[in-house]
């Protein structure tokens, strides 16, 4: 592995080749210390001249006012830096589950990730979530066990939890030299050297012999690493079996292949706050994580619907994915990951998702909220562009002469809603503008206004998410608004399968409206709405079939009489009738809506969102914590011991957890913590469903009056 004895990584003025590029994300559970790791990376690579601390509200990458006040990362921040001739596009992501969409869209466009773990807590709830997201996108990764200077930190326990809870194959390539307040540094297992970090900011890396008391442990760990490396190189395997010496560079090269194939995960350790281990982490990033050229070319669909590849070269047709938008008074910033080709400022490109042409304005390399103007963008780059009018998150931009559509980014549905209304007529327009801008930025934020009641509901991923958005509306967009209490975002489903004949027939002078649709509707496991066309013989003209689907989807999204959107529905159009003169798109859309209205009359079930929870509490409060969770209709699935704390795992209805943070503090003298993540929807118990429906109908009547 590359030596890091220089005080700070040297910067290269020349543009790097793709082989010397790393597109890297830092992901973790909240409070694992990932922003502290990122801040030290920026300092050591000369990208910033000071180390910004999260607890002081001075972190460079936590640049939003909300982030600095709360001491957490809310939005993913992009920056670029160099380490020993390697160019790193780095994205620091949030750790709180309410902002999981930021992690999702970042991992969609990144080539690799560093997963940070708390050395005391090991794998936590959100650790599992971000790991699954990385699995979904097949992102190669390495692990960094942070906070080894904390009392109770255990590297071995953390590695075991990575293996057992994440169902992966960790291989330690470092060991801690001491722990807690006695942490001296780390042991480089591959080189079999002890490493300390000296100087005011730990910028001087000093290698020395392994202490005698750790020699046997290090030798065993080294042999384990070589054995794993031999699985990815036949030459090493033969020599390893014959007892020959394998060089450090050979071990690293073979491990890199295992990481690229997602078959092994190297584990490093340190303490970012004490500046221990970050240089070696940077070395591992460039030595073990893949460049864009190491990965398979991105694939998409051409205009004929055929799958095509876009190789990561300048010579290939341009293709990029928009993965983030930030509203700006001088023009929205659209973040792009470029997969192939070149595009220059002022050029016209195609938004192939929408089939519309766009013109690239200014192109920037981003450093949190700072910008560096550049002339062109090329394969492998992650940049921000000003001037795109129609492009939103998930859209593909491509060469107009050779268009392609890349796979979009999927986001979870909101689980919580809140009513918001302007304080005055003058604020009404400003509120609409603010909500529209926020919805462009945040795909998990929704809003809609009931035309009859004029009530606006905003939806999000949790209490913290909506609280942050509320503050932005009032403070950033200067809108005086009244906000209601958070409410659960209930959903509906069909209780049983039904066959419906929907007849939309009206005649009132001139052309009438005529549409008959025979639809089979049934509940299904897929959380969305699935539409199937089984029409034969032209009973419903081909041009009107999408209209029936649109009507069904409109009704499902609107939520019928209760305004609770429908989920888990399969609709099959299998017969119908039309009229040569009176049939129209509008008539068959109305028939689709009517089919849903008839199907749900007395045949719907209300669902509530459930959350997976993890509560960490001292032993003496365990009984009180479990008793309180039981009163909230929680199901406890497991109770674990992690160091000196007990960990309670299970699932609980979202609606029962409002205000839980305050209650937990009260029960445990402020010594317990908890986290939650969405776990899908479940039907409400019948008695509760009847109460919720009665309450909802009353609310809607009052709003209309």
């Amino acid at each position: 592995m590359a030596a890091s004895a220089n005080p700070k990584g040297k910067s290269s003025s020349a543009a790097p080749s793709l082989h010397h590029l790393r597109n890297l994300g830092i992901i973790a559970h909240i409070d694992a210390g990932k922003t502290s790791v990122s801040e030290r990376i920026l300092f050591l690579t000369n990208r910033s001249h000071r180390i910004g601390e999260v607890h002081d509200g001075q972190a460079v990458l936590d640049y939003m006012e909300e982030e600095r006040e709360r001491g957490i990362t809310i939005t993913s921040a992009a920056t670029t830096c160099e380490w020993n001739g390697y160019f790193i596009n780095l994205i620091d992501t949030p750790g709180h589950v309410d902002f999981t969409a930021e992690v999702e869209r970042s991992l969609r466009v990144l080539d690799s990730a560093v997963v940070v773990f708390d050395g005391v807590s090991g794998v936590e709830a959100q650790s599992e979530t971000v790991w699954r997201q990385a699995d979904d996108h097949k992102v190669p990764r390495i692990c960094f066990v942070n906070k080894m200077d904390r009392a109770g930190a255990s590297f071995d326990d953390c590695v075991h939890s990575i293996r057992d809870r994440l169902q992966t194959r960790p291989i330690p390539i470092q060991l801690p030299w001491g722990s807690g307040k006695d942490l001296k540094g780390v042991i480089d297992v591959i080189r079999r050297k002890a490493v300390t970090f000296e100087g005011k900011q730990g910028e001087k890396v000093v290698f020395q012999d392994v202490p005698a008391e750790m020699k046997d442990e290090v030798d065993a760990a080294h042999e384990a690493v070589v054995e794993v490396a031999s699985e990815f190189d036949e030459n090493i395997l033969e020599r390893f079996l014959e007892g020959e010496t394998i060089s450090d560079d050979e071990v690293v090269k073979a491990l890199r292949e295992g990481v690229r194939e997602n078959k092994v995960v190297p584990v490093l350790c340190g303490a970012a706050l004490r500046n221990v281990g970050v240089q070696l982490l940077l070395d591992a990033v460039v030595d073990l994580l893949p460049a864009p050229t190491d990965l398979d070319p991105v694939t998409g669909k051409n205009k004929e619907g055929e799958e095509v590849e876009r190789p990561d070269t300048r010579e290939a047709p341009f293709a990029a994915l928009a993965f983030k938008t930030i509203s700006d008074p001088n023009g929205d910033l659209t973040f792009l990951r470029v997969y192939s080709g070149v595009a220059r400022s002022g050029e016209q490109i195609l938004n192939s998702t929408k089939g519309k042409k766009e013109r690239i304005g200014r192109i920037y390399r981003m450093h949190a909220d700072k910008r560096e103007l550049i002339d062109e963008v090329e394969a492998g780059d992650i940049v921000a562009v000003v001037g795109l009018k129609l492009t939103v998150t998930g859209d593909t931009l491509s060469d107009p002469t050779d268009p392609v559509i890349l796979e979009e980014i999927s986001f979870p549905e909101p689980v919580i809603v809140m009513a918001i209304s302007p304080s005055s007529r003058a604020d009404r327009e400003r509120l609409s503008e603010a909500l529209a801008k926020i919805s462009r930025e945040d795909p998990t934020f929704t809003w809609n206004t009931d035309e009859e009641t004029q009530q606006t509901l905003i939806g999000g991923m949790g209490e913290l998410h909506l609280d942050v958005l509320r503050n932005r509306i009032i403070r950033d967009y200067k809108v005086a608004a009244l906000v209601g209490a958070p409410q659960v975002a209930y959903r509906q489903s069909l209780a049983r399968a039904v066959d419906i004949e929907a007849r939309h027939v009206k005649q009132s002078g001139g052309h009438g409206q005529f549409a008959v649709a025979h639809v089979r509707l049934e509940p299904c496991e897929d959380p969305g709405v699935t539409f199937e066309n089984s029409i034969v013989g032209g009973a419903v003209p081909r041009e009107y079939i999408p209209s029936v689907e649109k009507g069904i989807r409109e009704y499902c999204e609107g939520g019928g009489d209760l305004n609770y959107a429908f989920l888990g529905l399969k609709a099959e159009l299998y017969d119908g009738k039309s009229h040569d003169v009176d049939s129209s798109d509008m008539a068959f859309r109305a028939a689709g809506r009517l089919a849903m209205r008839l199907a749900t009359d007395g045949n719907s079930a209300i669902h509530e969102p459930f959350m997976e929870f993890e509560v960490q509490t001292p032993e003496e409060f365990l009984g009180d914590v479990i008793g309180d969770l039981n009163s909230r209709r929680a199901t406890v699935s497991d109770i674990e011991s992690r160091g000196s704390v007990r960990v309670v795992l299970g699932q609980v209805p979202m609606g029962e957890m409002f205000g839980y943070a305050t209650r937990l503090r009260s029960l445990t003298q402020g010594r317990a913590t908890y986290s939650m993540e969405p776990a899908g929807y479940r039907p409400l118990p019948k008695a509760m469903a009847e109460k919720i429906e009665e309450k909802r109908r009353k609310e809607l009547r009052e709003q209309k009056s």
Side-chain angles (χ1 to χ4, degrees), residues 334-354:
T334 304
F335 285 73
L336 304 179
R337 163 64 199 268
V338 181
Y339 288 98
S340 62
V342 180
R344 297 171 180 83
S345 180
E347 282 188 348
Q348 194 174 70
I349 55 173
L350 178 70
N351 181 322
S352 39
T353 304
K354 293 186 168 67

Side-chain angles (χ1 to χ4, degrees), residues 453-606:
T453 65
Q454 291 301 303
Q455 183 187 47
T456 298
L457 291 177
I458 59 176
M461 298 306 298
E463 288 183 272
L464 178 60
H465 187 202
L466 287 188
D467 190 45
V468 167
L469 295 176
R470 178 187 65 83
N471 287 350
R472 288 194 62 197
I473 291 167
I474 294 172
R475 181 164 60 189
D476 296 354
Y477 293 100
K478 314 298 182 188
V479 177
L482 304 174
V483 180
Q487 302 172 30
V488 176
Y490 293 107
R491 295 288 186 266
Q492 295 183 82
S493 74
L494 286 185
R496 62 186 182 278
V498 290
D499 274 19
I500 298 295
E501 180 189 37
R503 299 179 61 86
H504 179 74
V505 181
K506 291 187 177 182
Q507 190 70 48
S508 56
H511 287 316
Q513 295 183 41
F514 185 94
V516 179
H518 292 256
V519 187
R520 187 173 294 114
L521 296 146
E522 59 185 73
C524 69
E525 293 296 322
D526 191 315
V529 177
T530 304
F531 181 82
E532 185 175 319
N533 170 30
S534 298
I535 292 292
V536 293
V540 174
R542 186 166 48 188
E543 64 268 26
Y544 296 139
I545 292 172
S547 305
V548 178
E549 179 182 1
K550 193 168 186 179
I552 290 172
R553 291 187 181 278
E554 286 174 348
Y555 190 93
C556 289
E557 291 168 5
D561 293 341
L562 298 179
N563 294 152
Y564 293 149
F566 281 80
L567 52 74
L569 176 75
K570 179 182 177 182
E572 180 187 3
L573 176 64
Y574 64 90
D575 201 358
K577 295 178 183 176
S578 65
H579 188 277
D580 291 342
V581 176
D582 292 343
S583 290
S584 64
D585 165 74
M586 184 172 64
F588 274 96
R589 280 173 64 183
R593 290 193 296 269
L594 176 60
M596 278 300 302
R597 188 163 72 248
L598 295 173
T600 56
D601 186 14
N603 183 33
S604 64
I606 299 177

Side-chain angles (χ1 to χ4, degrees), residues 348-538:
Q348 194 174 70
I349 55 173
L350 178 70
N351 181 322
S352 39
T353 304
K354 293 186 168 67
K356 303 287 186 180
K357 289 187 177 180
E358 293 263 43
R359 187 171 297 280
I360 295 177
R362 296 179 298 280
I363 304 173
Y364 296 105
R365 292 201 192 282
M366 298 300 295
H367 178 52
D369 57 341
K370 305 295 191 298
R371 308 175 187 181
E372 175 189 343
L373 187 65
I374 58 177
D375 295 327
E376 66 177 27
V377 59
E378 63 178 289
D381 276 340
I382 294 177
V383 298
V385 172
V386 175
L388 304 180
K389 306 295 185 184
L390 305 172
T391 301
V392 296
T393 296
D395 285 356
T396 300
L397 301 174
S398 61
D399 186 328
T401 64
D402 196 349
V404 66
I405 298 180
L406 306 176
E407 182 185 351
E408 293 187 3
I409 310 172
S410 59
F411 297 102
E413 291 290 321
V415 297
I416 185 173
V417 296
M418 179 187 291
I420 186 169
S421 58
S423 298
S424 66
R425 190 171 294 179
D427 285 304
R428 186 176 301 279
E429 187 175 338
R430 287 204 297 272
L431 176 61
S432 294
E433 291 176 358
L435 296 178
K437 288 179 179 178
I438 292 173
S439 65
R440 272 179 62 84
E441 291 185 8
D442 186 347
T444 60
F445 169 75
T446 62
W447 67 287
N448 61 79
T449 301
D450 188 295
E451 294 183 2
E452 293 186 28
T453 65
Q454 291 301 303
Q455 183 187 47
T456 298
L457 291 177
I458 59 176
M461 298 306 298
E463 288 183 272
L464 178 60
H465 187 202
L466 287 188
D467 190 45
V468 167
L469 295 176
R470 178 187 65 83
N471 287 350
R472 288 194 62 197
I473 291 167
I474 294 172
R475 181 164 60 189
D476 296 354
Y477 293 100
K478 314 298 182 188
V479 177
L482 304 174
V483 180
Q487 302 172 30
V488 176
Y490 293 107
R491 295 288 186 266
Q492 295 183 82
S493 74
L494 286 185
R496 62 186 182 278
V498 290
D499 274 19
I500 298 295
E501 180 189 37
R503 299 179 61 86
H504 179 74
V505 181
K506 291 187 177 182
Q507 190 70 48
S508 56
H511 287 316
Q513 295 183 41
F514 185 94
V516 179
H518 292 256
V519 187
R520 187 173 294 114
L521 296 146
E522 59 185 73
C524 69
E525 293 296 322
D526 191 315
V529 177
T530 304
F531 181 82
E532 185 175 319
N533 170 30
S534 298
I535 292 292
V536 293

Side-chain angles (χ1 to χ4, degrees), residues 55 58 154 168 203 243 252 276 332 335 366 391 412 416 455 513 517 547 561 592 636 644 683 699-700:
H55 54 268
Q58 297 297 318
S154 172
T168 191
E203 62 271 20
V252 169
V276 173
D332 288 354
F335 285 73
M366 298 300 295
T391 301
I416 185 173
Q455 183 187 47
Q513 295 183 41
S547 305
D561 293 341
V636 175
S644 61
E699 289 174 352
L700 293 174

